[in-house]
Amino acid sequence: MTLNRSSFAAGLATALLCACAATTQVTLTPPAPAPVCQPQAAMKVSVLWRTRWRADQKDVPEREAAAAQGIQRFFAEGACFQSAVVARTEAAGSAFDVPAGSDLLVVLTVRELGPVVRLLSSAALVEGGTEVVVDVAVHRPGQREPQQPFSIRWQDGGPGVVKGVQTLPADLAAALKAGLMAR
């Protein structure tokens, strides 16, 4: 029996449509860190973000642009802090001084931000979604080392789900909301 391209494409489309079931999973490591966001407090917060991509990371400029948009979007909504100044940093290490005039410094290190696609991994033939990994460090005045650093691993997708780079800013904002908001 031979299978022509149009039959294969129709079968693949049917499988994808029947298997679309997106789920979101959030893992915090270590589990149950203290909530970072304090929307009711009249605090001046500085947010520094940076990236630490794996060696074989593709499309770095696009991912960094998406990271900048997602982080700005999350903090501009005001659901985390009443006032937050967001800036990029290239500084390495974990020791940071809280900038003068700020009550708190939040350092975000984006390690993964991208679509994931696995072929033939389930009955749906295609399984995918988005993965976001961010390390979080909160610094208080007078303490160069962070208090209770933790990581957020956010995954959204499932069988039949295929996402592109267009959702990355919203996905990063959703990951920050899941990991930084009070639980």
Side-chain angles (χ1 to χ4, degrees):
M1 178 172 144
T2 60
L3 187 64
N4 64 33
R5 287 185 184 186
S6 61
S7 296
F8 177 76
L12 179 61
T14 301
L16 290 175
L17 289 173
C18 294
C20 292
T23 60
T24 301
Q25 296 179 330
V26 179
T27 306
L28 303 177
T29 308
V36 173
C37 294
Q38 300 174 30
Q40 305 306 322
M43 301 175 75
K44 292 183 181 176
V45 177
S46 293
V47 178
L48 293 178
W49 70 276
R50 59 190 176 179
T51 58
R52 296 292 180 261
W53 306 116
R54 62 187 187 292
D56 64 345
Q57 184 64 64
K58 295 178 181 157
D59 305 319
V60 169
E62 292 84 358
R63 291 173 199 274
E64 292 191 358
Q69 291 172 12
I71 292 167
Q72 288 286 353
R73 178 183 298 178
F74 174 73
F75 287 102
E77 291 173 355
C80 191
F81 299 106
Q82 287 182 4
S83 172
V85 176
V86 178
R88 174 137 190 195
T89 185
E90 293 298 329
S94 62
F96 286 88
D97 289 318
V98 177
S102 291
D103 300 308
L104 194 67
L105 171 63
V106 178
V107 179
L108 304 174
T109 305
V110 181
R111 293 189 296 122
E112 184 64 52
L113 177 61
V116 177
V117 177
R118 291 182 237 13
L119 299 175
L120 305 173
S121 64
S122 70
L125 301 178
V126 175
E127 187 171 334
T130 306
E131 180 178 25
V132 177
V133 178
V134 179
D135 295 334
V136 179
V138 177
H139 298 263
R140 303 217 179 267
Q143 299 176 348
R144 291 186 46 94
E145 292 299 322
Q147 294 182 317
Q148 300 177 324
F150 65 97
S151 293
I152 304 165
R153 181 183 195 99
W154 183 93
Q155 297 171 297
D156 182 68
V161 175
V162 178
K163 291 177 135 185
V165 296
Q166 69 277 5
T167 67
L168 295 181
D171 293 337
L172 180 55
L176 293 174
K177 182 176 183 179
L180 301 181
M181 301 296 285
R183 287 165 287 289

